[in-house]
């Protein structure tokens, strides 16, 4: 089994393993909240990616040591599972895409946005087979389009169709997780696939997929770092340093793309040519969340409510940083 297939199979088993992962993460942990005067702990949940590289560097631990703060790390296989862990009080900080926090807030999770990347619209796109007759977004009308339901790419699809004079119902939505969508795309069971990196780069490199349209000029496609309301209220200094260290990794990657591609390749278990393609179109930078950024999330939440993906309207200011 090659590296790409192994990576895809790991993603395929997300739903089957998420409950077990969350349960493991929910084991009792000693933290500052459990005893007066006890050392503070930052419990980081992370997916394979930039936080894995930060963990390997050890720089977060060095920055927090003078404050008497210990750092622990738990790896998860997707953002939603991390948010489950936050909801049950097992982690204090994690990374996630645009959509999962919307569902977590709708479910009552006490999440607070701690940081956000710069816009990265080129990291999600609609792809079609190389020889497909589909040459424009307008050609998607009536076609079978695969994507992950309730994800950032569903929001991208809504806005992309809107920009090109089409309605969401003008395409045949086929809801598939990335590994299943790749298999359907490869055998011709769908006409197009909307996907994000590194799956996007992998499809371009290994399936010779043709990029029809990315999210440039349509949506921003940021990544987010989150925490809990309780932790953020008592540990603003810790969170500020955590975001600074994440941004330091971003800055390093922007200036050392070849080395970053090699390191990310090892972390993800993908060929370096895939991570190179991914990083060459990425934008870098992470900073605290602003009202303007929350307004972007509000637009996503409103769209998901209109699509009946969440049961109630949300006010994103309820998940704003405590000092905003």
């Amino acid at each position: 089994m090659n590296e790409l297939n192994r990576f895809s199979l790991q993603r395929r088993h997300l739903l089957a393993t998420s409950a077990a992962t969350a349960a493991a993460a929910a084991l009792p942990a000693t933290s500052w909240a459990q005893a007066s005067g006890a050392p503070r702990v930052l419990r980081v949940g992370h997916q394979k990616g930039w936080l894995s590289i930060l963990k390997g560097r050890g720089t977060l631990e060095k920055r927090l040591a003078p404050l008497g703060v210990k750092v622990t790390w738990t790896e998860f296989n997707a953002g939603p599972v991390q948010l489950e862990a936050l909801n049950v009080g097992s982690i204090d900080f994690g990374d996630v895409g645009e959509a999962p926090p919307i569902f977590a807030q709708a479910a009552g999770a006490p999440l607070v946005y701690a940081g956000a990347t710069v816009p990265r619209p080129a990291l999600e796109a609609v792809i079609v087979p190389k020889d497909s007759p589909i040459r424009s977004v307008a050609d998607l009308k009536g076609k079978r389009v695969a994507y992950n339901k309730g994800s950032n790419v569903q929001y991208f699809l809504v806005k992309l169709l809107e920009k090109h004079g089409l309605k969401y119902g003008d395409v045949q939505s086929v809801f598939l997780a990335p590994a299943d969508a790749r298999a359907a795309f490869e055998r011709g069971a769908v006409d197009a696939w909307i996907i994000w990196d590194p799956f996007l780069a992998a499809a371009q490199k290994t399936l010779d997929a043709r990029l029809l349209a990315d999210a440039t000029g349509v949506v921003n496609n940021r990544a987010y770092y989150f925490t809990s309301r309780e932790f953020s209220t008592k540990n603003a200094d810790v969170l500020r340093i955590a975001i600074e260290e994440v941004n330091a990794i971003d800055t390093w990657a922007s200036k050392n793309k070849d080395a970053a591609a090699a390191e990310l390749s090892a972390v993800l278990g993908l060929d370096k040519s895939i991570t190179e393609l991914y990083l060459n179109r990425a934008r870098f930078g992470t900073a605290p969340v602003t009202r303007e950024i929350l307004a972007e999330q509000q637009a996503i939440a409103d769209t998901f409510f209109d699509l009946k993906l969440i049961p109630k309207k949300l006010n994103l200011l309820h998940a704003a940083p405590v000092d905003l």
Side-chain angles (χ1 to χ4, degrees):
M1 181 182 295
N2 64 35
E3 294 172 328
L4 175 61
N5 286 337
R6 183 167 61 252
F7 180 76
S8 296
L9 284 172
Q10 290 170 347
R11 292 285 183 165
R12 184 190 297 272
H13 294 302
L14 165 61
L15 293 178
T17 60
S18 61
T21 307
L27 294 173
T30 301
S31 72
W32 55 269
Q34 291 177 298
S36 177
R40 290 192 291 172
V41 179
L42 173 64
R43 298 167 299 169
V44 181
H46 67 104
Q47 303 173 60
K48 289 183 182 294
W50 298 117
L51 284 182
S52 305
I53 293 175
L54 177 61
K55 177 185 177 184
R57 296 281 195 280
T59 55
L60 181 59
E61 286 83 349
K62 291 176 183 176
R63 286 284 310 277
L64 292 177
L67 300 179
V69 179
K70 179 184 177 182
V71 182
T72 64
W73 301 82
T74 303
E75 185 177 300
F76 296 84
N77 53 9
V81 196
Q82 288 177 265
L83 288 162
E84 290 177 31
L86 179 82
N87 198 29
V88 298
S90 298
I91 63 171
D92 308 305
F93 184 80
D95 59 331
V96 73
E98 292 172 322
I102 302 296
F103 292 97
Q105 185 180 349
L111 77 90
V112 166
Y113 290 88
T117 67
V118 298
R120 308 175 308 165
L123 300 189
E124 60 180 2
V126 182
I127 55 175
V128 296
K130 179 183 178 181
D131 299 324
S132 170
I134 298 173
R135 293 289 166 179
S136 68
V137 174
D139 292 338
L140 291 175
K141 187 171 184 178
K143 299 298 191 294
R144 299 161 299 174
V145 181
Y147 58 90
N148 203 46
K149 184 177 183 180
S151 68
N152 54 321
V153 293
Q154 184 168 12
Y155 177 66
F156 166 42
L157 173 63
V158 172
K159 294 301 176 181
L160 181 68
L161 294 174
E162 184 180 286
K163 181 178 179 179
H164 290 269
L166 297 176
K167 297 178 181 178
Y168 176 64
D170 285 338
V171 301
Q172 298 180 47
S173 292
V174 181
F175 300 130
L176 294 171
D180 296 321
R182 178 188 168 93
F185 182 86
E186 193 167 3
R187 68 174 184 268
V190 296
D191 301 300
W193 179 21
I194 313 178
I195 191 58
W196 58 86
D197 273 318
F199 295 106
L200 171 59
Q204 289 179 276
K205 284 290 184 179
T206 63
L207 301 181
D208 207 16
R210 172 162 53 84
L211 195 150
L212 184 70
D214 67 23
T216 302
V218 183
V219 296
N220 279 331
N221 187 38
R222 299 180 192 267
Y224 288 92
Y225 295 88
F226 62 85
T227 185
S228 70
R229 175 68 56 188
E230 182 179 10
F231 189 87
S232 63
T233 300
K234 299 181 179 180
N235 296 275
D237 55 343
V238 175
L239 293 171
R240 175 181 55 79
I241 289 171
I243 294 302
E244 287 175 357
E245 288 303 307
V246 169
N247 186 56
I249 293 293
D250 269 6
T251 301
W252 168 80
S254 69
K255 297 177 180 178
N256 301 276
K257 287 187 178 180
D258 185 67
E263 194 160 350
L264 198 58
S265 169
V267 167
L268 297 177
L270 296 174
D271 188 85
K272 186 185 174 187
S273 66
I274 294 172
T275 54
E276 283 176 334
L277 178 57
Y278 163 25
L279 293 184
N280 282 335
R281 59 185 168 216
R283 297 179 184 174
F284 300 91
T286 300
V289 167
T290 64
R291 287 181 180 272
E292 290 74 21
I293 291 174
L294 286 176
E296 295 175 17
Q297 287 293 91
Q298 185 68 60
I300 297 174
D302 292 345
T303 297
F304 283 175
F305 176 74
D306 292 340
L307 292 174
K308 296 181 172 55
L309 294 175
I310 57 175
K312 61 183 179 181
K313 276 189 170 290
L314 298 181
N315 183 345
L316 265 291
L317 290 178
H318 293 165
V322 294
D323 59 349
L324 188 62

